[in-house]
Amino acid sequence: MEHDVTKTVRLYMAVFGGLLALTIVTVWAASWETATGLGVVLALLIASTKGTLVAGFFMHLFSDRFPLIARVLVFSAVFFVVMVVLVFLGFVDSFGANRAPIGG
Amino acid sequence: MGELQATHAAAHEAHGDHAESFIRKYVFSTDHKVIGVQYGVTALVFLAVGFFLVLLMRWQLAYPEQPMPLLGGLFGNRMTDAGVMTPEFYNQLGAMHGTIMVFLGVVPLAVGAFGNYLVPLQVGAPDMAFPKLNMASYWLYFLGGIIMLASFFLPEGSARSGWTSYPPLAVLEPGGQTWWLIGMVLLINSSLLGSVNIIVTIVQLRAPGLQFMRLPFLVWAQLVTSFLLLLAFPPLEVAGFMQLLDRVAGTSFFMPTGLVVDGQAVAFSGGGNALLWQHLFWFLAHPEVYVLILPAMGIVGEIVANNTRKPLWGYKTLIYSVLFLGGMSFIVWAHHMFLTGMGTAISTFFQLTTMIISVPSIIILTVLIISLWGASIRFSTPMLFALAFIPMFGIGGLTGLPLGLSVADIHLHDTYYVIGHFHFVVAPGTLMALFAGIYYWYPKVTGRRMNDTLGRWHFWPTLIGLNGVFLPMFLVGMAGVSRRLYDGGTTYAHAQDVLWLNEVSTVASWLLAAAQVVFVINFFLSLRNGKKVEDNPWQATTLEWATTSPPLGHGNFASPVTVHRGPYEYSVPEASNDFSPQHQEST
Amino acid sequence: MAEIEIPYNSTNHPDTGVYNAKLGIWLFLASEVLFFGALFSSYILLRVGAGGTAGDWPLGADLLNVPLATFNTVVLISSSMTMVMSWASLKSGNFDAFQRYFGATIGLALLFLLVKGLEYYAEIFHQRYPSTSTFLATYYTMTGIHALHIIFGVAVNAYHFVSAKRLYAEEPERFTNRIEVAGLYWHFVDLVWIFLFPVLYLL
């Protein structure tokens, strides 16, 4: 990518603009849609989009694809999801779980 | 590398001489071989300390309320009462025995020492990918270990809530628990640096021609182990931070609402969840079991191939099994928590995954056993230990199956049966393999062989002693006697029939201790008097034997090595020798 | 023989396509995913365990300063942008531009820490401590650990800023790689904040 510096710079600036815009959107969205299911989904969607922008462009995951690094990240992503989901399920599916499980 | 030197000069003070000082060469060294030996020696010292702690406990279990002979007066009034250890001291011994053995003894020996010393040599690299990080990793470990040990000398004593440190108890206990947590965070960071280093070394620094499917099995085992350390430890670090805050900042991450202790409500805001700790702890601690066992399997694989003079039967099967084992180990953790009120659906899931993960373990054992078939085995000292590993680990693994099924686990949970099970995995299992590794690579490190006669005097009493200690525990446990009882169960009616077995275990532990004295003598005597060896005394094929014994200074190989064949080409038909080293072009 | 040459220290490995430190930092970041993952996981469980009613788990906006945090988000995103620009400048051989952007990155990071400090000060002034409620405990812990990451990043960047001239003169290629690695870490810290901000302040 060093052969076309101006293009890269323009790309980074566009991503930066996008991130700023999404920051404003998320604050604005939260001001009328708080703490409901939709609000949570919306906020996390926006955050994920921003995260993808950072990881994809600033961290070059989109431009230089190395299967090795992608594989490592897939591993950790899978284990992260496993941790969240299984711990959560263990929490929900427990005797006396309606309020809080034993000890909680 | 002028630039690196410049960095050094900037990072360190202004000592400008380029000759390596003693400190740089042997204390703050960046050579993976020196660091490996540092790890090994430190870990062996910690193993000895952990073993000493348990010898004290075993006295109390076999002869409760009787003053400890010789040592009774040593610990002062705080820990003993007229020579009899106090319950508080017993709890400290138990918690610290587990912690020291797992986090300061076995893992640093298996990964820190064997991984550090052997991985760069076996992949034909001049050093680890990041030598300075490697040094930092060792010193973090050292510091963490010192903090753990130092906590014994606090006025309130060390951590005493078991090696698992379950809250709310661990949060409310006075004393060393805070130090335990700080030490733990240091150890986690140490293993993080170490595992990044090992993975990058294996991926990036393999010698030309050394494809992944030509790597020695030990390197594969270390690779998977490092991934487990890398991904499983961070949640415990988080949990450690949270428990630390619960203790020092009064937060309530693990403190439930309305907790009452001694008839008084505790001064916590509440709203936390004690089970969260258990989830985060076991998310690490179950993969940790495989961190303990995989390097051991790797060591046994190397030694079996070398001493049977045959290729390992099913090399690829071994590797796929290890990979599968590593991945699965992340989704079995809650089988440690069947008694926490988990629902049937989720506990069915964890029972299922637990049964599945036993399959690759059995495959690995089967591969190792079949590798023995039809061989003319060299019964060298390392091979004796490696052979003992196979059935011992088998017992440890198979006795784990009933614990993975919630119906049986409800009876056996937290009894001596569990203690017997996991000790069979780690002590007669992993430790036997680690001893095998020490005997096998001692000539590589020192250029001398350990004495074979003393080796046998070490092996047989160790094997008998370990079985004598841990086999009775299965019976005690099935009788329903709980672990962590200060008096070994004396006050319980259901324990009366099996109490005599406590004494059997204790006497066996003395035999075990005596056998280790032989090992220590052998270890030090052989440094001076051991038989000098040529570069490849075991006539082995892997790359660590392609250099001199002991290896040249920093840099390992005189000239870059190229690999021409797989790791275990023993007894190749038509070849001139019964072994064809990986770096040799023609057989 | 003080130091030895490690292969692929500054050049890309032909098979993997990366140099050692780049793989190393990505492995480290993979473990960081699990690290912050465990924090978020704990957050979810504690919040669900609190019963889910408004009384048990306060709305972040009621206790925390959303405008300041929004400002801080912008600051951190900007520093991420200047970080990637400083690397791009090095790539195109413009050392002066690199110094400007890199200095700005450090400056913005310090500004972030300053604002964060002000927020903590305001919370403590209103007698909202970590021990007050599980929400506040979570807030202090998550943002505190994130701030520790920022401080570590500032330290690493400051070292490179101070010794940039020398390192660049000696081995420009290697120094560019170092900045890329430092950048990857920095973007990750930014990325974590992108999730922390809505989770703690808005939901």
Side-chain angles (χ1 to χ4, degrees):
Chain A
M1 75 185 55
E2 43 278 52
H3 58 271
D4 198 349
V5 178
T6 37
K7 206 174 149 196
T8 319
V9 168
R10 214 173 293 155
L11 176 68
Y12 290 151
M13 287 305 168
V15 172
F16 178 53
L19 290 172
L20 290 184
L22 286 172
T23 305
I24 293 162
V25 170
T26 197
V27 175
W28 171 73
S31 65
W32 55 265
E33 188 69 75
T34 50
T36 63
L38 184 64
V40 173
V41 170
L42 200 64
L44 289 182
L45 258 179
I46 295 171
S48 305
T49 314
K50 287 166 75 180
T52 313
L53 285 177
V54 171
F57 293 104
F58 286 176
M59 298 168 93
H60 313 129
L61 277 186
F62 287 163
S63 51
D64 48 28
R65 273 172 198 280
F66 301 119
L68 186 68
I69 285 170
R71 245 174 267 169
V72 170
L73 289 177
V74 167
F75 266 130
S76 61
V78 166
F79 290 134
F80 166 52
V81 172
V82 161
M83 176 171 63
V84 175
V85 171
L86 283 183
V87 172
F88 185 75
L89 288 179
F91 208 65
V92 176
D93 180 28
S94 80
F95 294 106
N98 294 336
R99 178 74 178 90
I102 294 165
Chain B
M1 298 204 74
E3 176 270 344
L4 267 175
Q5 272 176 6
T7 323
H8 257 289
H12 295 258
E13 68 294 1
H15 85 84
D17 62 307
H18 282 214
E20 278 185 303
S21 63
F22 176 82
I23 299 262
R24 275 289 301 279
K25 200 169 176 189
Y26 294 108
V27 183
F28 294 104
S29 172
T30 52
D31 185 347
H32 75 98
K33 297 188 291 296
V34 177
I35 297 172
V37 172
Q38 286 176 328
Y39 257 117
V41 171
T42 319
L44 283 171
V45 170
F46 276 121
L47 281 176
V49 172
F51 185 48
F52 174 67
L53 299 186
V54 87
L55 284 178
L56 298 178
M57 292 170 71
R58 284 250 50 107
W59 174 267
Q60 168 66 20
L61 290 172
Y63 311 106
E65 309 296 320
Q66 291 181 38
M68 285 181 283
L70 305 175
L71 299 168
L74 206 67
F75 295 100
N77 288 335
R78 190 157 61 72
M79 297 166 179
T80 49
D81 181 11
V84 180
M85 70 173 64
T86 62
E88 291 78 17
F89 186 48
Y90 178 85
N91 284 346
Q92 292 174 29
L93 292 174
M96 295 309 283
H97 165 72
T99 307
I100 287 174
M101 284 302 197
V102 172
F103 296 107
L104 295 167
V106 175
V107 173
L109 189 56
V111 184
F114 283 104
N116 244 313
Y117 199 95
L118 292 172
V119 165
L121 282 169
Q122 289 198 327
V123 301
D127 200 324
M128 286 284 211
F130 311 112
K132 281 181 214 155
L133 281 189
N134 203 14
M135 180 181 82
S137 160
Y138 171 74
W139 286 105
L140 280 176
Y141 155 66
F142 188 80
L143 193 62
I146 294 297
I147 288 179
M148 290 280 188
L149 279 189
S151 68
F152 272 113
F153 300 98
L154 291 172
E156 311 89 352
S158 68
R160 61 181 73 165
S161 312
W163 78 289
T164 51
S165 288
Y166 279 6
L169 184 65
V171 175
L172 295 170
E173 283 289 359
Q177 182 65 22
T178 305
W179 288 45
W180 188 92
L181 292 165
I182 293 170
M184 211 60 199
V185 167
L186 291 173
L187 292 177
I188 291 171
N189 286 329
S190 153
S191 81
L192 177 67
L193 296 181
S195 57
V196 167
N197 226 335
I198 287 181
I199 296 172
V200 175
T201 304
I202 295 173
V203 172
Q204 296 276 97
L205 302 187
R206 278 168 293 124
L210 188 57
Q211 298 117 6
F212 271 103
M213 280 304 170
R214 283 177 171 179
L215 285 176
F217 178 50
L218 176 60
V219 177
W220 271 105
Q222 294 282 354
L223 181 67
V224 177
T225 302
S226 297
F227 265 104
L228 298 185
L229 285 174
L230 184 77
L231 298 180
F233 249 133
L236 182 64
E237 188 164 10
V238 166
F241 272 130
M242 295 199 294
Q243 196 180 101
L244 196 60
L245 287 171
D246 274 5
R247 286 180 62 86
V248 299
T251 58
S252 305
F253 289 112
F254 304 123
M255 301 304 279
T257 308
L259 189 65
V260 174
V261 176
D262 289 339
Q264 292 204 315
V266 295
F268 282 88
S269 71
N273 191 309
L275 286 186
L276 179 58
W277 168 271
Q278 297 194 21
H279 276 297
L280 294 177
F281 181 86
W282 288 113
F283 187 83
L284 154 86
H286 200 79
E288 179 81 4
V289 173
Y290 294 90
V291 170
L292 296 169
I293 200 69
L294 290 182
M297 288 171 165
I299 290 168
V300 170
E302 299 294 299
I303 293 170
V304 163
N306 178 266
N307 286 281
T308 55
R309 315 307 290 168
K310 293 198 311 168
L312 279 181
W313 185 88
Y315 168 76
K316 284 191 177 174
T317 316
L318 270 182
I319 285 163
Y320 293 131
S321 302
V322 167
L323 289 171
F324 184 68
L325 208 57
M328 281 298 284
S329 71
F330 280 94
I331 52 172
V332 296
W333 79 84
H335 64 216
H336 296 269
M337 298 169 58
F338 285 140
L339 258 69
T340 59
M342 277 196 305
T344 43
I346 195 75
S347 75
T348 303
F349 173 84
F350 280 110
Q351 291 177 61
L352 194 65
T353 54
T354 306
M355 292 303 115
I356 291 172
I357 201 173
S358 64
V359 175
S361 310
I362 298 288
I363 290 176
I364 290 171
L365 278 190
T366 311
V367 163
L368 291 173
I369 291 171
I370 296 179
S371 294
L372 304 174
W373 184 264
S376 73
I377 298 173
R378 294 179 175 178
F379 287 99
S380 59
T381 310
M383 187 60 169
L384 288 180
F385 280 94
L387 285 175
F389 166 86
I390 298 173
M392 291 300 108
F393 173 69
I395 294 175
L398 290 175
T399 51
L401 288 178
L403 298 172
L405 296 166
S406 64
V407 175
D409 184 60
I410 284 169
H411 176 62
L412 294 172
H413 189 89
D414 265 356
T415 64
Y416 267 94
Y417 183 90
V418 178
I419 309 288
H421 153 65
F422 71 73
H423 277 89
F424 253 98
V425 174
V426 180
T430 300
L431 271 183
M432 284 304 231
L434 294 176
F435 278 130
I438 291 172
Y439 282 99
Y440 185 69
W441 280 290
Y442 191 90
K444 179 84 260 173
V445 179
T446 63
R448 291 172 191 271
R449 216 189 260 253
M450 285 175 86
N451 184 299
D452 253 338
T453 315
L454 286 178
R456 269 146 230 265
W457 275 102
H458 175 213
F459 172 72
W460 290 105
T462 301
L463 185 66
I464 295 165
L466 284 170
N467 281 286
V469 174
F470 298 118
L471 278 178
M473 288 188 182
F474 290 124
L475 301 175
V476 175
M478 281 188 278
V481 181
S482 292
R483 67 194 291 197
R484 290 175 182 155
L485 291 178
Y486 166 62
D487 58 1
T490 317
T491 48
Y492 289 90
H494 66 266
Q496 296 307 316
D497 289 345
V498 291
L499 279 179
W500 64 278
L501 287 167
N502 279 339
E503 203 172 340
V504 173
S505 282
T506 299
V507 173
S509 74
W510 298 338
L511 175 67
L512 191 57
Q516 303 325 301
V517 174
V518 178
F519 171 73
V520 174
I521 291 171
N522 195 356
F523 190 89
F524 286 106
L525 270 190
S526 302
L527 279 178
R528 270 169 164 262
N529 306 330
K531 208 170 75 188
K532 281 208 168 184
V533 294
E534 66 274 30
D535 288 345
N536 189 357
W538 307 111
Q539 295 156 321
T541 52
T542 43
L543 282 183
E544 77 269 32
W545 305 103
T547 182
T548 53
S549 297
L552 311 158
H554 207 171
N556 292 345
F557 299 94
S559 58
V561 286
T562 311
V563 170
H564 301 281
R565 57 178 54 79
Y568 305 115
E569 302 219 346
Y570 288 102
S571 308
V572 179
E574 318 286 313
S576 51
N577 288 322
D578 77 337
F579 65 107
S580 314
Q582 286 189 282
H583 63 284
Q584 244 172 48
E585 197 155 358
S586 60
T587 54
Chain C
M1 197 217 47
E3 297 292 344
I4 47 150
E5 188 91 39
I6 306 285
Y8 310 115
N9 230 347
S10 50
T11 51
N12 288 340
H13 190 289
D15 296 339
T16 60
V18 287
Y19 50 92
N20 296 343
K22 190 160 175 176
L23 179 59
I25 194 75
W26 274 111
L27 288 168
F28 173 70
L29 293 183
S31 93
E32 289 279 71
V33 168
L34 268 292
F35 182 87
F36 283 101
L39 273 176
F40 279 105
S41 183
S42 309
Y43 165 87
I44 296 171
L45 288 181
L46 290 170
R47 182 170 177 164
V48 172
T53 55
D56 284 324
W57 195 267
L59 184 65
D62 294 341
L63 294 176
L64 309 172
N65 193 326
V66 176
L68 265 189
T70 311
F71 173 73
N72 241 357
T73 308
V74 172
V75 168
L76 208 53
I77 288 174
S78 308
S79 85
S80 217
M81 186 273 290
T82 55
M83 185 83 214
V84 75
M85 288 302 296
S86 68
W87 174 76
S89 311
L90 268 190
K91 267 284 189 197
S92 56
N94 189 344
F95 187 74
D96 290 338
F98 156 75
Q99 278 197 312
R100 277 197 303 280
Y101 280 121
F102 201 51
T105 308
I106 297 171
L108 287 166
L110 292 175
L111 177 63
F112 177 89
L113 287 174
L114 180 73
V115 174
K116 196 72 232 157
L118 282 178
E119 280 189 66
Y120 283 150
Y121 180 76
E123 294 301 324
I124 289 167
F125 184 77
H126 287 107
Q127 302 195 329
R128 300 190 190 113
Y129 305 110
S131 54
T132 310
S133 71
T134 305
F135 169 77
L136 283 169
T138 317
Y139 161 77
Y140 276 108
T141 307
M142 291 178 97
T143 56
I145 285 177
H146 178 259
L148 281 181
H149 278 79
I150 298 262
I151 291 169
F152 179 73
V154 168
V156 169
N157 287 352
Y159 166 74
H160 284 117
F161 187 72
V162 172
S163 37
K165 265 221 168 75
R166 184 171 51 80
L167 294 175
Y168 187 68
E170 278 162 0
E171 275 180 297
E173 185 77 3
R174 180 123 188 258
F175 182 67
T176 312
N177 287 343
R178 281 172 160 222
I179 294 301
E180 185 180 16
V181 167
L184 286 171
Y185 172 80
W186 193 250
H187 300 313
F188 180 80
V189 174
D190 178 34
L191 204 155
V192 170
W193 181 258
I194 284 175
F195 283 93
L196 277 181
F197 170 59
V199 163
L200 289 176
Y201 287 84
L202 303 179
L203 296 182

